[in-house]
Amino acid sequence: AMVGYVDEQLVLNPTLEQMKHSRLNLTVAGTKDAVLMIEGAADFLPESLMVEAVAFGHDAIRVQCEGLEELASVVGKEKLYDTIKSPPEGLRETLDERYAARIDDIYAHALVKMDQEAASSQLSKSVAEEMEEIYPDEKSAVKSALKDLMRRRMFEKAKTEGTRIDGRRLDEVRTISSEAGLFPRVHGSALFTRGETQVVATTTLGDSGMRQKIDRISGMEAKRFYLQYTFPPSCVGETGRVGMPGRREVGHGNLAERALLPAIPSEEEFPYAIRVESLVTESNGSSSMASVCGGCLSLMDAGVPIKSPIAGIAMGMLLGDKGTVSDENAVIVSDILGTEDALGTMDFKVAGNSEGITTFQLDIKCEGLTLETMARALDQAREGRLHILAEMEKALKEPRPELPSTVAKVLKMKIAADSIGKVIGPGGRQIRALIEDFGLANINVEESGDVQISGFEMGQMEKAQEMIKTLTAGGGGGGG
């Protein structure tokens, strides 16, 4: 189900026209009993309203599920369980008895990522070799059973000791360091490090001709603000081919872009196209949320007058039995590690400012998430987000008061739409001559007649403006 928020009212499955005025774009998926996935964006809405919106969408899902159950009963087809293969009898008990203590020992030492991976890899090899004699044809089942045991021991440690495998408290965020203004020639730059996750973010400003053009089914779209996310193999200690962005990179970049978009000033306030690039240099959990933080700092370093700083955090959940719906025993953890993401049952990314949420994405690996558990996770995420914002303030509290000298100035004017050809000229010769003669960076002419002149010398830009007025003084005509 989709949920919007129009005129202070929640709207189920809003129309395209209603979505133009909605402060919420929420998609919810789930079963009759619990939520399985949520994704969307919001305009600085509070956590309480988000829970209410999810509950509103889930009520509609419950009706749909009941309708599907009724249809299934009418059709009368039996479910097919023949292809489901159960693990060998006694496998779980055997692994628990032999390896639970070894796993506890690995988790007790609060190892860094590389040491944790090395220890887990060595354990996996030992288990595979030793179980080969007992269960020779069950390699996949042994591997799954070991993963389940590691997950259960992680949950047990968190539940009984209140600590995680890296030694942190359940609600503790890893050590954060950030720096703005790394590169002198780049318009805006920042280095954001949280634990073993690090991004280098840069911001580039351009005129309206630098918008990202996307050819959609509905027509050509020109995005004034866009974020591009790069996750090279080297950031996780691997080598590999680096080419066009993959599905994961596009999705993570889109999530970070949605997080920052509500804070971007309007074109009337700030007449630049804005491109943010986030390069992940090290990753151990939630590089997309690090991209939000780094991207925000680079925007402020570039002098973009954003409405407020934005930060993001990834929340996790540990369960004793992932084959159930979350309950009061579920352990919520803040700022998850890669291992907690892999072995846990929830990856809940939330971003926003100190007042409310701008984007969110939830994926789970259990039978469902109750609204009560979600409310707990959102409250804990808010505390973590406020902490991260406070750490970011140490690097840069607010946008720079002036744009860098490397950013071209922009002068706007408007001409009659039927005079565009006079400015462009046959084959673009006239507009190229204007740019060259007056030493401009660019002249961009929209179909509406809006013109942007960009350059570094305001005097020359004003002369070019007068020349354009002269060219178009007689109205329409002229070749283009």
Side-chain angles (χ1 to χ4, degrees), residues 207-209 267 271 410-417 419-420 423-424 431 434 440 442-454 461 464-465 468-469 472:
D207 62 20
S208 57
E267 190 165 8
V410 171
L411 191 62
K412 298 176 72 174
M413 64 180 296
K414 191 171 181 67
I415 61 175
S419 297
I420 291 175
V423 178
I424 296 176
I431 196 168
L434 286 169
L440 305 176
N442 191 34
I443 298 176
N444 189 64
V445 184
E446 303 282 351
E447 292 180 0
S448 61
D450 291 315
V451 179
Q452 266 197 1
I453 304 168
S454 57
M461 292 165 62
Q465 184 183 37
I468 292 173
K469 288 180 180 178
T472 59

Side-chain angles (χ1 to χ4, degrees), residues 363-477:
D363 296 306
I364 61 171
K365 291 175 280 188
C366 61
E367 292 301 305
L369 190 69
T370 63
L371 294 174
E372 292 76 15
T373 306
M374 183 180 297
R376 284 171 51 202
L378 282 171
D379 287 341
Q380 193 167 314
R382 182 177 185 275
E383 295 302 317
R385 190 170 76 244
L386 293 176
H387 168 75
I388 296 170
L389 285 168
E391 292 296 313
M392 290 167 58
E393 278 190 6
K394 296 177 182 178
L396 194 57
K397 192 170 185 178
E398 58 189 18
R400 308 277 188 201
E402 296 181 357
L403 296 179
S405 60
T406 52
V407 176
K409 299 176 179 66
V410 171
L411 191 62
K412 298 176 72 174
M413 64 180 296
K414 191 171 181 67
I415 61 175
D418 58 1
S419 297
I420 291 175
K422 289 187 173 183
V423 178
I424 296 176
R429 286 199 297 271
Q430 181 63 67
I431 196 168
R432 287 198 300 272
L434 286 169
I435 293 171
E436 184 176 345
D437 291 348
F438 293 99
L440 305 176
N442 191 34
I443 298 176
N444 189 64
V445 184
E446 303 282 351
E447 292 180 0
S448 61
D450 291 315
V451 179
Q452 266 197 1
I453 304 168
S454 57
F456 293 92
E457 296 290 337
M458 183 56 72
Q460 293 295 95
M461 292 165 62
E462 290 172 347
K463 289 180 182 178
Q465 184 183 37
E466 290 302 317
M467 178 59 75
I468 292 173
K469 288 180 180 178
T470 301
L471 288 172
T472 59

Side-chain angles (χ1 to χ4, degrees), residues 6 24 31 66 88 98 100 131 148 163 177 195 204 224-225 262-263 282 290 297 370 415 423 454 456 458 465 472:
V6 183
L24 174 68
T31 65
E66 290 171 352
R98 293 192 179 200
M131 290 297 105
D148 181 65
T163 59
S177 66
T204 306
R224 172 173 163 260
F225 168 69
E282 184 180 16
L297 287 171
T370 63
I415 61 175
V423 178
S454 57
F456 293 92
M458 183 56 72
Q465 184 183 37
T472 59

